[in-house]
Amino acid sequence: MTLTVYTALLFLFLANSVWTRAVRQVYDELDPEHWSHYTFECPQECFCPPNFPNALYCDNKGLKEIPAIPARIWYLYLQNNQIETVSEKPFVNATHLRWINLNKNKITNNGIESGVLSKLKRLLYLFLEDNELEEVPAPLPVGLEQLRLARNKISRIPEGVFNNLENLTMLDLHQNNLLDSALQSDTFQGLNNLMQLNIAKNSLKKMPLSIPANTLQLFLDNNSIEVIPENYFSAIPKVTFLRLNYNKLSDAGIPPNGFNVSSILDLQLSHNQLTKIPPINAHLEHLHLDHNKIKSVNGTQICPVSIALAEDYGFHGNIPRLRYLRLDGNEIQPPIPLDIMICFQLLQAVII
């Protein structure tokens, strides 16, 4: 289980670099006599590296419009400009695009021509961070694998916008204006292969509804969430990394076994209002509880197995796997209780 999860996460985090490296290797072997042809096709506003002819660098050029994109381009960099519109005309010949970076421009929903994005049939990565979008743009290319919309003004998610995005593995909506009402029970319908969902830094007061079942990483930091519903994580049985830092969680808002979930390996609950450590699962490896209101720690009470069993198992049994425990910013006084060390024999770091 753990090996499978880490393999999947490794793919998620390294997909960009692996893909780019593989493409570079292919095109580094191109016949040099063709390089001048590629350079000749380069828009005058942009830079076309001769040893990477499928990339077009138009970033940091003060552009207000997207130039005509040559047919050979797979990777398009347009970040840090003054672009307000995304129209169909520049992409007429760009039928092989895999990657578009439009971060840090001035794009609004009205500035995106209807259907222009969905016509990019081979697009895998779409970056529209730091723009002026007020809703998730639609329709989107059905083959997308990553969609990054952080730091916009998004408060609306059109119905059915994700229905056909079965290949999407990462959806980043952090630092927008999403309220609970924007996340309906069918909002994420169709995202059958989603691995990472980031809705941090919004205005949520409740845990979002109907998270895709295959989600591995769920980031909900910097919201105003007060309650974890009973059996909430049974609907996302593969969740491994859970971040709920900077919310309003209290002891009363967490069910008795709310975080006693075998799939969770990394649990972050920093900067909340907890006065005690909630029950955890023996599989948990990293626990962040700093800056709460915890006054004391009782290892016997929080140990996922009995202290006696932990002592008997030694390093040869199914002892709790906790390796990292952060408790600073509470009201706990050292030293670390001995029963903590007896229970969590794999601990490598305890911060008080």
Side-chain angles (χ1 to χ4, degrees):
M1 167 65 179
T2 301
L3 180 59
T4 302
V5 168
Y6 279 128
T7 302
L9 291 174
L10 184 61
F11 169 80
L12 178 65
F13 287 125
L14 300 182
N16 294 353
S17 59
V18 171
W19 178 275
T20 303
R21 186 164 56 249
V23 172
R24 285 184 183 275
Q25 290 172 349
V26 170
Y27 288 100
D28 282 348
E29 297 174 2
L30 286 175
D31 191 334
E33 72 181 35
H34 296 300
W35 291 356
S36 61
H37 169 66
Y38 290 129
T39 304
F40 178 77
E41 287 188 288
C42 188
Q44 63 178 1
E45 308 95 326
C46 308
F47 170 64
C48 300
N51 62 338
F52 195 19
N54 286 83
L56 182 61
Y57 291 88
C58 309
D59 52 307
N60 296 287
K61 301 294 184 181
L63 299 179
K64 294 185 177 180
E65 296 180 350
I66 299 174
I69 310 303
R72 72 177 190 278
I73 298 303
W74 287 24
Y75 300 93
L76 177 58
Y77 298 89
L78 288 160
Q79 67 270 27
N80 292 300
N81 283 293
Q82 304 294 317
I83 297 169
E84 296 181 2
T85 60
V86 180
S87 60
E88 183 176 348
K89 184 178 179 181
F91 298 102
V92 169
N93 297 318
T95 57
H96 296 280
L97 277 173
R98 266 61 166 184
W99 172 303
I100 299 178
N101 189 332
L102 277 161
N103 291 346
K104 295 187 178 180
N105 279 283
K106 296 183 177 181
I107 299 168
T108 63
N109 288 94
N110 289 335
I112 301 177
E113 186 175 331
S114 178
V116 62
L117 297 175
S118 61
K119 291 178 181 179
L120 302 173
K121 303 295 185 181
R122 301 188 183 185
L123 196 65
L124 302 178
Y125 301 87
L126 178 58
F127 300 169
L128 280 164
E129 299 178 341
D130 295 285
N131 278 279
E132 298 179 15
L133 299 173
E134 295 183 354
E135 64 179 47
V136 174
L140 292 162
V142 296
L144 270 187
E145 294 182 3
Q146 290 192 17
L147 177 59
R148 304 194 186 203
L149 299 169
R151 294 177 299 278
N152 277 274
K153 302 174 182 178
I154 296 172
S155 61
R156 298 185 300 274
I157 301 178
E159 184 177 356
V161 67
F162 302 128
N163 279 1
N164 298 316
L165 303 187
E166 294 189 357
N167 294 327
L168 199 71
T169 59
M170 176 190 286
L171 175 58
D172 191 343
L173 288 163
H174 89 269
Q175 201 164 333
N176 278 285
N177 299 327
L178 291 171
L179 299 170
D180 296 318
S181 57
L183 305 180
Q184 300 298 315
S185 59
D186 60 350
T187 295
F188 301 112
Q189 183 175 327
L191 300 179
N192 299 327
N193 290 296
L194 194 70
M195 297 170 66
Q196 183 185 107
L197 178 59
N198 191 341
I199 326 178
K201 294 188 177 182
N202 279 279
S203 300
L204 304 181
K205 293 183 179 180
K206 300 178 181 179
M207 296 291 285
L209 301 171
S210 301
I211 300 298
N214 285 320
T215 301
L216 298 176
Q217 299 180 325
L218 179 58
F219 303 151
L220 292 165
D221 313 78
N222 292 90
N223 281 284
S224 298
I225 297 170
E226 299 180 359
V227 176
I228 307 294
E230 191 82 34
N231 300 318
Y232 181 85
F233 298 106
S234 62
I236 41 176
K238 297 181 180 179
V239 65
T240 305
F241 294 87
L242 178 62
R243 291 199 333 219
L244 280 159
N245 304 318
Y246 291 95
N247 276 281
K248 296 182 178 180
L249 289 170
S250 64
D251 302 329
I254 300 176
N257 285 295
F259 296 120
N260 188 1
V261 180
S262 62
S263 65
I264 298 177
L265 303 182
D266 190 297
L267 176 59
Q268 300 191 19
L269 297 168
S270 304
H271 294 272
N272 278 278
Q273 300 171 12
L274 302 175
T275 65
K276 59 183 180 181
I277 298 178
I280 59 175
N281 193 272
H283 291 89
L284 187 67
E285 296 183 2
H286 295 84
L287 179 59
H288 298 246
L289 284 165
D290 54 287
H291 297 91
N292 277 274
K293 299 179 180 180
I294 301 170
K295 295 183 178 180
S296 62
V297 181
N298 187 317
T300 302
Q301 291 179 354
I302 68 171
C303 190
V305 301
S306 74
I307 291 291
L309 286 176
E311 282 188 288
D312 292 341
Y313 278 139
F315 285 95
H316 305 289
N318 187 27
I319 60 174
R321 301 178 186 176
L322 194 67
R323 289 171 167 79
Y324 179 91
L325 177 60
R326 184 171 177 182
L327 291 166
D328 55 304
N330 285 282
E331 301 176 30
I332 303 168
Q333 298 297 322
I336 300 168
L338 180 60
D339 52 3
I340 291 285
M341 308 310 296
I342 293 174
C343 175
F344 302 108
Q345 298 181 27
L346 300 180
L347 265 177
Q348 298 175 355
V350 182
I351 302 174
I352 295 184

